[in-house]
Amino acid sequence: MSKLSFCKLLCLIALPMFFAVGCSKKSEVKNDNPKGLPSSGGKTLEVLVIVPEQLYKGELKDSIGHCFMKACEGLPQAEPLFDVVQMNPEGFFNSDMLQKHRNIIVIDMKAGNANKLKATVDFKSTPQAYFLFETDNRDSLFALLSRNADKIRNQFYENERKRVYSAFKRLENTDVTRKMKKRFGFWLTVSEEFYIAANKSDFMWLRKETKDESLDITICTKPYSGKTLPSQEEIIAMRDSVAKANIPGSAKDSYMGTETRSPFYSKRVSIGGFEAEETRGLWRLFGDWMGGAFVNYCFIDELHSRLVMIDCFVYCPRHPKRDRLMQLEGIAYGLKTVQNE
């Protein structure tokens, strides 16, 4: 197996919407930008917390860290879910550039505030999530933060996926798109650096590589008449079967498989209109020494009576994995079908 590769793209997607805290929001929205907002900025998975430094120290900093800097699941080394950057209000509100950051939390604590959270998506740029905590005491602030942490994390993470999709859409490898559409009736949008390493009737392998790193996506389908998704054990077994048959190592008789000595993390997600089982974990080469992180999506395509598996994995032994895997997720979440084109 040749060594695996990756280049970061920092382009953004236009996808405006607004929502109120406590109300449900649509899971999918059209990719447009009727307000003509500028593209948001910021590093991958970076969150700005706008609060006076003296207020941020101590308990609040610990609470923010607990909510947004917990370790990512399924990585070989500990990496935080987000990188949190504290800024004083004066510096933030005097900078037009900073106010266009992608992920923003503003904490306004003073007497007379109504103890509420205001949330706006695509406020001054796109994609952007802007959360304003208006409180008059620490207890109310901590209660609001705890109650809304999941919602805020999900919105920030969605912003990152939108940004990735937009980046690759602008540099789309249309030849790969055409071949995927012809082969499967659906496609993933990848940039021109990707190439097709293998293309069979029920399997395709997309790669983007250099001598030090690799970013890989495999897509496979198989006939399936069931109405429920396979179990985690069945998904891992299918992943191993497909990888062993199609992802060889460089050493003789070596092949890719799943590292079962490490835990798996699963949850239900929506991709391209399909309910999918997302599984995270580690992969390894049996009979060789390489390994890394993967995220796998498995869903039922009832229209074509088949099971679809999209497997994304990275190899970058001397670099963090979080941002690279995030970019693969953004590609997977950008799944399009001929039905929803």
Side-chain angles (χ1 to χ4, degrees):
M1 182 183 203
S2 58
K3 294 186 177 179
L4 310 161
S5 100
F6 182 62
C7 295
K8 294 184 179 178
L9 295 172
L10 298 177
C11 302
L12 309 164
I13 192 170
L15 194 57
M17 66 176 183
F18 295 89
F19 70 96
V21 172
C23 299
S24 61
K25 64 184 181 67
K26 295 181 179 179
S27 59
E28 296 184 21
V29 266
K30 291 182 179 180
N31 296 339
D32 53 13
N33 183 14
K35 294 175 65 176
L37 291 168
S39 296
S40 55
K43 297 178 181 178
T44 300
L45 293 166
E46 181 180 65
V47 175
L48 293 188
V49 177
I50 313 307
V51 61
E53 185 175 0
Q54 64 271 22
L55 176 60
Y56 184 65
K57 292 178 180 179
E59 190 176 3
L60 178 57
K61 182 177 181 180
D62 293 341
S63 296
I64 294 286
H66 177 75
C67 291
F68 301 102
M69 299 183 70
K70 58 179 61 178
C72 291
E73 296 175 337
L75 297 184
Q77 293 88 30
E79 297 183 53
L81 185 59
F82 296 98
D83 295 321
V84 175
V85 179
Q86 177 269 334
M87 293 196 66
N88 287 313
E90 295 80 8
F92 175 77
F93 288 110
N94 286 325
S95 171
D96 184 64
M97 180 187 70
L98 290 174
Q99 291 179 62
K100 293 185 177 70
H101 194 282
R102 191 164 47 259
N103 304 315
I104 298 171
I105 294 174
V106 177
I107 297 175
D108 178 20
M109 191 169 73
K110 64 186 177 185
N113 276 352
N115 294 318
K116 62 183 179 180
L117 171 61
K118 296 179 180 179
T120 308
V121 174
D122 294 350
F123 181 42
K124 292 193 174 183
S125 63
T126 183
Q128 184 186 52
Y130 190 101
F131 293 91
L132 172 60
F133 289 83
E134 295 182 333
T135 66
D136 63 0
N137 63 81
R138 287 178 178 267
D139 289 343
S140 295
L141 173 59
F142 294 147
L144 278 173
L145 181 60
S146 177
R147 190 160 61 242
N148 293 281
D150 286 344
K151 182 180 299 182
I152 297 172
R153 282 194 299 265
N154 290 340
Q155 186 60 52
F156 286 164
Y157 215 73
E158 183 180 341
N159 283 353
E160 298 297 334
R161 290 194 291 258
K162 293 174 185 177
R163 182 179 72 109
V164 170
Y165 173 80
S166 179
F168 287 116
K169 182 63 178 176
R170 294 177 184 180
L171 301 171
E172 183 177 4
N173 187 325
T174 55
D175 182 59
V176 170
T177 298
R178 177 179 57 81
K179 290 178 179 177
M180 288 189 69
K181 186 183 296 188
K182 182 178 180 180
R183 171 70 65 206
F184 300 115
F186 64 78
W187 66 96
L188 306 176
T189 301
V190 297
S191 64
E192 296 171 347
E193 293 87 353
F194 280 85
Y195 69 93
I196 298 176
N199 187 6
K200 303 178 182 179
S201 61
D202 60 353
F203 176 82
M204 184 176 287
W205 180 8
L206 308 179
R207 304 200 72 187
K208 178 182 176 182
E209 60 178 333
T210 68
K211 65 185 183 69
D212 294 320
E213 305 175 333
S214 177
L215 183 154
D216 295 71
I217 303 173
T218 63
I219 306 100
C220 70
T221 63
K222 74 172 187 176
Y224 191 76
S225 58
K227 299 298 182 182
T228 59
L229 284 164
S231 65
Q232 184 186 85
E233 292 76 14
E234 291 170 325
I235 289 174
I236 295 300
M238 179 177 172
R239 181 184 190 276
D240 283 345
S241 175
V242 172
K244 185 174 182 179
N246 295 284
I247 313 293
S250 57
K252 182 179 179 181
D253 298 327
S254 61
Y255 59 90
M256 173 186 265
T258 305
E259 178 54 86
T260 57
R261 295 172 295 183
S262 296
F264 304 118
Y265 302 90
S266 298
K267 65 180 179 181
R268 292 294 169 92
V269 299
S270 177
I271 292 182
F274 297 98
E275 181 185 35
E277 184 77 3
E278 176 190 281
T279 307
R280 296 174 180 271
L282 303 180
W283 64 270
R284 58 176 288 199
L285 283 185
F286 290 87
D288 209 332
W289 52 271
M290 296 169 65
F294 76 84
V295 58
N296 180 287
Y297 300 96
C298 187
F299 61 86
I300 301 169
D301 179 3
E302 293 187 7
L303 183 63
H304 299 94
S305 300
R306 63 184 178 179
L307 192 67
V308 179
M309 177 174 284
I310 299 173
D311 194 76
C312 310
F313 58 96
V314 297
Y315 175 74
C316 47
R318 290 177 291 277
H319 303 282
K321 316 297 189 288
R322 182 196 68 179
D323 292 1
R324 292 162 172 82
L325 206 59
M326 173 72 252
Q327 301 216 12
L328 291 172
E329 293 176 56
I331 294 172
Y333 271 82
L335 174 77
K336 303 293 182 184
T337 69
V338 293
Q339 289 78 32
N340 64 19
E341 186 175 5

